[in-house]
Structures are given as structure tokens and as C-alpha cells.
Amino acid sequence: MKLTTCMPKKERTNELLSIHLELAELLPVSTLLEILDEIKENISKSMGQKYNKLNKKLDDLNRKENITKNIQHIEMPFHSRFVNLTKVPISKQETEILEKGLKHNIENHDKNKEVEHTIVDAEMAISLLPSENQDHARHICRRIIEKRIESMDKKKLSDENKTVKGLKKKLKTNKVITTKADKGNTTVIMYEKEYKEKTEQLIKETNCRMMRKDPTDDYQVAVKHAIKQAKTIINPRKAYTMTLMNPSAPSMIALPKIHKPGNPMRPIINHKSAPGYKLSKYLKSLLKEKLELPNKYTITNTAELIERMKSLEIPKDAKFVSFDVKDLYPSIPTAETVTILTKTLIDKTDNNVATEIVNTLRLTLDQNYSKFNNKIYRQTNGLGMGNPTSTILMEVFMQHLEEKHMTELTTSLGVKFYARYVDDIICLVTGDKEEQILGYLNDQHTIINFTMDKENEGKINYLDITIKIHKVTNKCEFGIYRKPTARDMIIHRTSNNPQHLITRLERTLMNLILYTQSRKITDTERA
């Protein structure tokens, strides 16, 4: 009989006993003892490996528990969950709703939609049954749905639904809009008129020109023509995937910067409806493949920065300083960037490929327009916000700039470490040359301007971490940093969201705590 793990335990034991007695009759005692010793040795070895694995897991759990116990709760300032920039009075109940954020989902009581969805789902299920059973199933489902409708008619709106309904009416009457704050997700209400005036003023300041008519149809024709011409880089069979059906002008919204005086606006453009969006996405992937940017000084996240800084040798007189490129994307010189790109492509590909990529790219860059308040605007300089190719073109220009001037920074100006995340730069410098470095950076290009932040009390905030040099070991220590615009909530616990999303969010935050703790995070903040 063959032994299997799916056999009942008693049956398996009896079978083993039968085999053992049979072997005892056939084999000499010495041979049988040798086999038993070998079996015991193998069992002991297997158990040892199992126990080692379990002990390792237990040690990891104990370490994580100790880390969690040692976490000191430090009260950190958070921005308000809700900011009222109007004179419209908001009740306590309405404030509580707005404080839950724009991602908060209230329980849905749309009776008509619920009934429609139920009918559609039931019909789909019934269609899978044999045809002779479908009419009877429909009759049963109809009775169940009718009873459900009767119970829904008796159901009253929750207090939260009533509050939301009244709040919407109040905001509409007073011509007030809801939006979120820039860099913080705080819920903001402001007058619609003020929102439009500030956004239009921002458009003027960014050198946007109002267009007489919507050029979307003309741009669509130009995109289709460019795709037909680019036969080397675009497979004719896949050309149809590069165009967008029924395109429209990209919409612009603006977010108020409530952490700055006067609450200036920050523009956000959704480029997905533009005629050249799909073509731009393809060009982005093509450029990424052909260019193979070195990314010598760029970082993708703070985890990578921490890894780079772990083994950093820090001189005693060194300090950290950060630089920020002001209005990066609108400041990137498009013509100069395309020239740099063309030279790089010619070096790495053949001329036909380089020519087609550049010609097609120029077309998509020229279609740099957006729509706000039923008016069409065209951005006259810089890279378009929301355009898929903007990120890689920005990297082409910035990496070219860095390669050109890094020797001067590291030899004459005392820069010992340099890393950049998009427009945020962190440097380790020796001596008191911060102002000299800032002046040098601002002298390198007429339209690229840098601002600077220095250490404060031996610490500097960069992205979402605080960096400090340990006075004894001269090694970097890191802490979690929250910007003044940060809220103390991502999704409210009462939000009607799928539970697995809430669980995943909790796990992500816990992993952040454990990761930073494992990298010797200081007590700046413990999540």
C-alpha cells in the first residue's frame, strides 16, 4: 500500500507498523538498527532546521515589537483639516463633514441606481441558467426586488446625508466651491469669483496667451499626419493606437496654497484629453528606451537617498544645504532641450530614427494649451504640465546642466554629496560656501532660478525626512518630516471604502515606521 499525507492518521500509523514488522522479519537486527539511527538523524536534522526557521521568525517579531514599544509619540503640528476662505457661516455638523476630506465616501442611498444595478446583475445571472428555468427565476427575482424597494422607501436618510444635502444647497446659493489645498489635501471652500480671478491672474503671470478659437480639431489633424510620416518609429499597424477618439482641450484647475500669504494658486493640467496625449506617452517610452539616461545624481524616493547616505564619509566641517528650482517645468528652455536631445539621439541611434523622434516630439510640444473658464490658453514657453514627455525632457536638460557644472561644484565649491529629486536638490558642502554655490547655480542659465534652505539647529528637512549629522559618529541620522501643510488624516475611519484599502493603507504606514527605525531614525517624529 502506498502511503500518502491525505490518509487518515490512524490508518497511516497502522500501515507504518505493518511495514516495520515486515522489515524486522526480513532484515538482520544490525541493519534494521542502522536504518532506524539514520531515520532518527534525518528527523533530528529536519526538526533543527524547522526550529531555526521558527526562532528566526520569533526574533524578527520580537525586534519589531521592541521597535514599536520604543517609539516615542511626539506631538507634531498639523494643518487644519478644513479651511474656510469665505464669510459663509458653516455649522459644526457641516464642519465635521468637510474635515473628513474630499476622499470621504458617505453611505450611498441612491435608490434608483441600486435597483438598476440589482436588476442588471440578476439578469446576467439568469442568462447563465438553462432557458427552461429562466422565466421562473425572473419571477422569483422580481418578487425579491419589489420587497427590497418597499423596504428602501421606508428607509430615511442618515444624518450625514442630510447634512451633505443641506451643505451643497448652501454652497450653491452663496456661489462657493470646494477644492483641496496644494500639498496637503486640506478641504478648502472659497468664493467661485475669487477662484476664477486668482487663476486667471496666475495664467497671465506664466506668459500664457489666450487663443481666439479652440485648436483641438487642427491639432488632431496634425497628429494624424505626423504619425503617418513617422514610419520608422511607429508601426503602421499600431498607428491607430496613437490617436485619441473625440479629443478636447486639456482642462486646467488651480489649488490654493493656504500655507503662503495671500493664498496664491498652483495650476494643475489634465492632459489626458489632448489630441497628442497617446502619441506623447509613446514618445516618452521610446525616449526612455533610446536615451538610457545615466541618472547619476537623481533619486527616485527617500529610501534610495537613505541608502546612498548610509556609507557617506562626512568631514567634520560639513553641513547639508538644499536647493529648489523655482517653477521648474515652465522654466525649462524647450528649444535648447530639444537640441541637447537631438545630439544624444544621433549618438545612440541612426539619423532616421533621431529625425522622426524629434520632429514628432516638436509637434506634441507645440500643442501646449489648456482650457479654463471656457477660455483657451496657450503656454508660450517651457514644458507643458501634464504632458507625458515633460518629465523625461526635464531630466535631459537637468542632467546635461549637472554634468556641465558638477566638476566646478565638487572641486572649487566644496560639494561632497549631491542628489536631486525632480526640482529638489540636497548637497553636503564643506566650509561656508552655501551663498557662493547659490550664486554659481543662478549664473548658469538666464531662466533657471534656484532658492536655498540651510540647516536649522543642525538639521535640514528634505522631501519627507529630516537629516542630521551625528556629532560623535559623523554619520547621517534620519527622521520622518511632515510639512506644515500635512494633515493628520488620509481617509476617515467612517468613510464607506472597501476594507482591504484601509488595511493596505495601515500596512503601508507601519512599514514606513519600521523601515525608518531600521535605518537609525532619530526622534524627530515617530509617525
Side-chain angles (χ1 to χ4, degrees):
M1 183 177 181
K2 186 177 180 181
L3 291 174
T4 60
T5 54
C6 60
M7 290 173 62
K9 185 176 179 181
K10 186 175 180 181
E11 185 179 337
R12 199 164 59 242
T13 303
N14 290 335
E15 185 65 22
L16 285 170
L17 177 60
S18 174
I19 293 172
H20 176 77
L21 293 174
E22 187 176 346
L23 288 173
E25 291 179 0
L26 296 174
L27 298 174
V29 175
S30 58
T31 305
L32 187 61
L33 290 175
E34 286 179 8
I35 293 173
L36 290 174
D37 288 340
E38 188 176 348
I39 291 173
K40 287 180 181 179
E41 186 180 345
N42 289 335
I43 291 173
S44 177
K45 185 178 179 181
S46 179
M47 288 178 65
Q49 291 174 348
K50 185 69 175 178
Y51 280 126
N52 287 337
K53 189 176 180 180
L54 291 173
N55 286 329
K56 186 178 179 182
K57 285 185 177 180
L58 186 62
D59 290 340
D60 289 341
L61 290 171
N62 288 331
R63 180 180 61 81
K64 290 180 179 180
E65 185 178 357
N66 291 332
I67 287 174
T68 308
K69 286 180 180 178
N70 292 332
I71 291 175
Q72 300 177 8
H73 179 72
I74 299 177
E75 291 293 334
M76 296 295 292
F78 287 98
H79 208 288
S80 301
R81 295 181 182 179
F82 163 62
V83 173
N84 185 356
L85 299 179
T86 71
K87 294 181 180 179
V88 178
I90 303 296
S91 68
K92 181 181 178 182
Q93 292 80 7
E94 291 168 341
T95 299
E96 288 175 354
I97 291 291
L98 291 166
E99 283 182 341
K100 291 180 179 180
L102 300 179
K103 293 181 180 179
H104 179 70
N105 290 325
I106 61 175
E107 189 177 355
N108 184 17
H109 288 298
D110 191 330
K111 183 182 73 173
N112 293 330
K113 282 189 177 179
E114 188 172 337
V115 171
E116 287 174 7
H117 290 164
T118 304
I119 292 171
V120 171
D121 291 343
E123 184 59 35
M124 288 182 66
I126 290 169
S127 66
L128 300 176
L129 296 173
S131 57
E132 62 270 17
N133 297 335
Q134 290 184 7
D135 287 340
H136 180 65
R138 285 192 183 94
H139 178 70
I140 295 172
C141 288
R142 180 179 177 179
R143 289 170 57 188
I144 295 171
I145 292 171
E146 285 175 349
K147 287 183 180 180
R148 173 63 179 161
I149 292 171
E150 288 177 9
S151 65
M152 289 169 68
D153 289 336
K154 296 176 183 178
K155 193 172 185 178
K156 295 181 179 180
L157 285 175
S158 66
D159 292 337
E160 194 173 63
N161 274 274
K162 289 179 181 177
T163 305
V164 169
K165 190 175 181 180
L167 178 61
K168 284 182 177 179
K169 186 176 180 181
K170 179 189 288 188
L171 297 179
K172 185 177 181 180
T173 302
N174 290 278
K175 296 182 178 179
V176 172
I177 64 166
T178 57
T179 183
K180 71 171 186 174
D182 180 42
K183 298 181 181 178
N185 289 328
T186 294
T187 305
V188 179
I189 63 170
M190 61 189 301
Y191 289 113
E192 185 179 1
K193 183 180 178 182
E194 181 189 8
Y195 171 78
K196 289 179 179 178
E197 287 176 349
K198 283 191 171 184
T199 306
E200 287 175 350
Q201 180 61 34
L202 172 69
I203 291 170
K204 290 179 182 178
E205 292 172 358
T206 52
N207 297 320
C208 288
R209 177 173 57 84
M210 191 166 71
M211 306 182 77
R212 293 182 180 180
K213 69 169 188 174
D214 189 341
T216 301
D217 291 341
D218 295 336
Y219 285 172
Q220 177 80 329
V221 172
V223 166
K224 289 182 178 180
H225 179 71
I227 292 171
K228 288 181 181 179
Q229 297 297 316
K231 295 179 181 179
T232 305
I233 61 172
I234 299 176
N235 186 337
R237 293 182 179 179
K238 295 184 178 180
Y240 71 96
T241 64
M242 305 293 168
T243 56
L244 197 68
M245 297 292 291
N246 303 316
S248 60
S251 59
M252 175 193 289
I253 62 169
L255 305 180
K257 300 179 180 181
I258 57 175
H259 58 290
K260 293 188 177 181
N263 305 313
M265 310 297 280
R266 175 175 174 245
I268 304 290
I269 298 174
N270 184 356
H271 205 76
K272 290 184 178 180
S273 65
Y277 177 72
K278 287 189 174 182
L279 180 58
S280 295
K281 277 190 72 175
Y282 173 72
L283 288 174
K284 178 185 177 181
S285 62
L286 190 62
L287 287 171
K288 193 173 181 180
E289 174 192 336
K290 300 294 183 183
L291 291 174
E292 297 179 348
L293 293 173
N295 297 321
K296 192 186 300 185
Y297 305 107
T298 59
I299 55 171
T300 54
N301 50 46
T302 47
E304 182 182 345
L305 178 66
I306 291 172
E307 289 296 330
R308 287 194 188 186
M309 286 185 166
K310 273 199 311 180
S311 58
L312 193 61
E313 296 292 333
I314 303 176
K316 290 186 178 180
D317 63 337
K319 63 188 76 171
F320 282 106
V321 60
S322 67
F323 300 95
D324 178 74
V325 185
K326 186 179 178 182
D327 299 328
L328 177 60
Y329 285 98
S331 300
I332 298 293
T334 308
E336 185 178 342
T337 304
V338 172
T339 302
I340 298 166
L341 176 70
T342 304
K343 292 179 181 177
T344 308
L345 285 173
I346 290 173
D347 290 340
K348 295 189 176 184
T349 63
D350 62 72
N351 287 343
N352 288 338
V353 171
T355 302
E356 286 191 6
I357 290 176
V358 171
N359 289 340
T360 312
L361 182 65
R362 281 199 176 104
L363 172 75
T364 60
L365 293 175
D366 189 57
Q367 297 183 3
N368 195 2
Y369 75 123
S370 59
K371 183 178 182 179
F372 177 77
N373 195 24
N374 295 320
K375 297 175 184 176
I376 306 294
Y377 297 92
R378 185 176 184 276
Q379 188 177 320
T380 56
N381 57 5
L383 298 174
M385 290 172 287
N387 190 321
T389 57
S390 293
T391 52
I392 195 164
L393 291 177
M394 176 274 295
E395 280 297 329
V396 168
F397 178 79
M398 290 301 294
Q399 291 190 29
H400 172 78
L401 204 65
E402 287 164 345
E403 285 293 340
K404 189 176 178 182
H405 305 297
M406 192 55 66
T407 303
E408 179 70 16
L409 289 171
T410 54
T411 55
S412 303
L413 297 174
V415 174
K416 301 300 179 184
F417 177 84
Y418 179 103
R420 176 177 56 81
Y421 178 80
V422 190
D423 58 348
D424 292 309
I425 298 168
I426 183 77
C427 291
L428 179 70
V429 301
T430 54
D432 298 320
K433 297 181 179 180
E434 301 97 314
E435 296 292 340
Q436 192 177 345
I437 294 170
L438 177 63
Y440 175 78
L441 290 173
N442 281 326
D443 288 341
Q444 300 314 304
H445 207 283
T446 54
I447 59 175
I448 301 293
N449 295 313
F450 292 82
T451 58
M452 178 178 66
D453 283 321
K454 300 180 182 180
E455 286 185 0
N456 184 16
E457 298 180 353
K459 302 175 184 177
I460 191 165
N461 300 319
Y462 182 74
L463 302 181
D464 57 356
I465 59 173
T466 296
I467 306 171
K468 177 183 177 182
I469 302 174
H470 195 281
K471 293 181 179 179
V472 178
T473 62
N474 252 31
K475 294 291 183 182
C476 291
E477 293 184 330
F478 308 94
I480 299 172
Y481 168 66
R482 284 179 176 158
K483 295 182 179 180
T485 56
R487 293 199 320 164
D488 60 346
M489 183 185 70
I490 299 175
I491 298 176
H492 197 271
R493 60 182 176 81
T494 62
S495 182
N496 188 29
N497 289 86
Q499 186 57 43
H500 72 276
L501 295 179
I502 306 297
T503 305
R504 188 182 301 169
L505 177 61
E506 292 171 349
R507 190 183 299 117
T508 300
L509 294 174
M510 194 61 198
N511 286 340
L512 175 63
I513 296 172
L514 295 173
Y515 179 83
T516 51
Q517 283 288 336
S518 67
R519 297 298 185 272
K520 297 182 179 180
I521 300 300
T522 61
D523 292 333
T524 304
E525 186 198 343
R526 305 300 188 187

